[in-house]
């Protein structure tokens, strides 16, 4: 049985944008769509200030309205709604285990003008056991006329789960994959206070390109019909991915699963890309 695509919804515009993105993704995957609304007050007993029945009724009405909107826009899509009587991060993180991926809306304009992603989106992306896609409303069309999925690659520690998600997302869209690796000069150069000559920089760049090619080779073989662009740049992975996001339909980044302690486990690159990318961002957990 195909696991559902999940979408977190509320009454906001960004939530509706995420729900539509999730509906399109469910259609590509041939999967049902499950709408989630998480709010701790739904689980409380009635008192003088809060009438639990009224809260639940309003929440179910909102879910029903969103479901009707999506069913009308995407005929044949199987849409259901579910109330999650828990805090948003805990409730959505727990529910995400039941789905192929969880889509959540967030505000923001892209670029480097501010940190615009809310705490709930960051918390869920940093803790979910399933991939999380963060979608901003009002995103303009990509610069590139060709559909494209950009994926960040750590050439020193490439992870198959991240690449598989990106290549499968590209296959579903009939898109090409841009594998982005941003490299920087080794710290020793900075400590020494000088910049290597051009030939040494070229050698370092060639080394990085070779590592990327080696990491991508098995995926070229597995997806022979998918066009792959190996994009190796200087300046670091976050900046390279944010720049690539201008022409991408989706950006894919990895996040290591938590092993010890509490809290999110978003690395610096994933954190920066989530805040500043111009395209929806998929955060894929990996070991």
């Amino acid at each position: 049985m195909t696991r559902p695509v999940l979408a977190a919804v509320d009454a906001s515009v960004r939530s509706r944008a995420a729900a539509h993105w999730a509906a399109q993704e469910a259609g590509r995957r041939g999967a049902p769509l499950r709408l989630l609304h998480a709010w701790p007050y739904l689980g409380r007993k009635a008192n003088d200030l809060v009438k639990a029945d009224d809260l639940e009724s309003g929440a179910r009405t909102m879910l029903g309205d969103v479901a009707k909107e999506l069913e009308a826009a995407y005929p044949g899509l199987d849409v259901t709604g579910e109330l999650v009587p828990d805090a948003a991060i805990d409730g959505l993180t727990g529910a995400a285990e039941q789905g192929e991926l969880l889509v959540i809306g967030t505000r923001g304009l892209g670029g480097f003008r501010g940190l615009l992603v809310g705490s709930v989106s960051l918390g869920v992306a940093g803790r979910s056991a399933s991939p999380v896609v963060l979608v901003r409303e009002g995103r303009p069309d990509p610069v590139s006329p060709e559909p494209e999925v950009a994926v960040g690659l750590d050439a020193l520690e490439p992870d198959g789960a991240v690449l598989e998600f990106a290549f499968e997302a590209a296959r579903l869209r009939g898109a090409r994959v841009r594998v982005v690796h941003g490299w920087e000069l080794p710290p020793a150069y900075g400590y020494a206070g000088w910049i290597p000559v051009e030939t040494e920089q070229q050698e370092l760049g060639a080394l990085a390109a070779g590592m990327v090619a080696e990491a991508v080779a098995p995926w070229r073989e597995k997806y022979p019909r998918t066009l792959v662009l190996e994009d190796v740049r200087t300046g670091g992975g976050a900046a390279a991915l944010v720049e690539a996001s201008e022409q991408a339909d989706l950006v894919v980044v990895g996040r290591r699963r938590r092993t010890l302690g509490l809290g999110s486990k978003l690395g610096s690159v994933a954190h920066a890309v989530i805040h500043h990318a111009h395209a929806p961002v998929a955060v894929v957990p990996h070991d």
Side-chain angles (χ1 to χ4, degrees):
M1 182 176 180
T2 304
R3 297 206 303 170
V5 171
L6 309 176
V9 298
D10 53 33
S12 67
V13 174
R14 60 179 176 270
S15 164
R16 294 295 177 97
H20 278 270
W21 194 97
Q24 294 170 23
E25 185 68 12
R28 294 186 191 101
R29 293 171 177 262
L33 174 64
R34 182 184 301 169
L35 306 176
L36 305 174
H37 178 62
W39 199 24
Y41 289 102
L42 294 171
R44 295 190 178 183
K45 295 181 179 180
N47 56 43
D48 292 338
L49 298 177
V50 177
K51 293 183 178 181
D53 291 343
D54 291 345
L55 290 176
E56 181 174 340
S57 176
R60 290 193 182 281
T61 297
M62 182 274 296
L63 279 176
D65 290 343
V66 177
K68 290 177 182 177
E69 178 182 326
L70 297 176
E71 288 170 342
Y74 310 98
L77 182 65
D78 179 8
V79 185
T80 57
E82 178 182 341
L83 298 180
V84 182
D86 199 350
I89 295 177
D90 291 339
L92 293 175
T93 300
E97 297 181 5
Q98 306 169 18
E100 282 295 305
L101 55 88
L102 169 65
V103 184
I104 187 168
T106 186
R107 63 189 182 279
L109 301 175
F112 282 97
R113 294 186 177 180
L115 303 181
L116 300 171
V117 176
S119 59
V120 171
S121 300
L122 285 176
V124 174
R127 290 175 48 185
S128 173
S130 299
V132 174
V133 180
L134 296 96
V135 178
R136 291 189 176 105
E137 79 277 15
R139 190 263 172 129
D141 291 334
V143 174
S144 174
E146 297 290 334
E148 180 173 298
V149 173
V151 56
L153 174 69
D154 182 348
L156 293 175
E157 296 182 283
D159 187 85
V162 179
L163 289 170
E164 182 173 23
F165 185 95
F167 273 82
E168 187 61 18
R171 184 190 68 80
L172 291 170
R173 289 164 171 76
R176 64 191 184 191
V177 175
R178 181 179 297 272
V179 181
V180 180
H181 173 66
W183 66 278
E184 297 180 285
L185 294 174
Y189 288 105
Y191 300 148
W194 60 280
I195 300 176
V197 297
E198 183 176 351
T199 54
E200 290 182 350
Q201 293 190 56
Q202 291 175 347
E203 290 175 357
L204 291 170
L207 177 62
M211 296 171 67
V212 170
E214 182 178 357
V216 173
W219 301 98
R220 285 183 179 274
E221 183 176 351
K222 185 174 181 179
Y223 293 86
R225 297 184 179 180
T226 300
L227 175 63
V228 181
L229 306 176
E230 296 173 8
D231 191 339
V232 181
R233 314 183 187 195
T234 58
L241 273 173
V242 170
E243 184 176 348
S245 73
E246 294 185 13
Q247 61 186 32
D249 296 89
L250 179 67
V251 177
V252 182
V253 295
R255 172 188 66 78
R256 290 194 178 278
R257 299 182 190 277
R258 292 182 299 138
T259 53
L260 297 173
L262 300 174
S264 66
K265 193 69 174 179
L266 288 172
S268 58
V269 171
H271 193 273
V273 172
I274 287 172
H275 278 297
H276 303 300
H278 300 265
V281 178
V283 182
V284 180
H286 63 87
D287 295 327

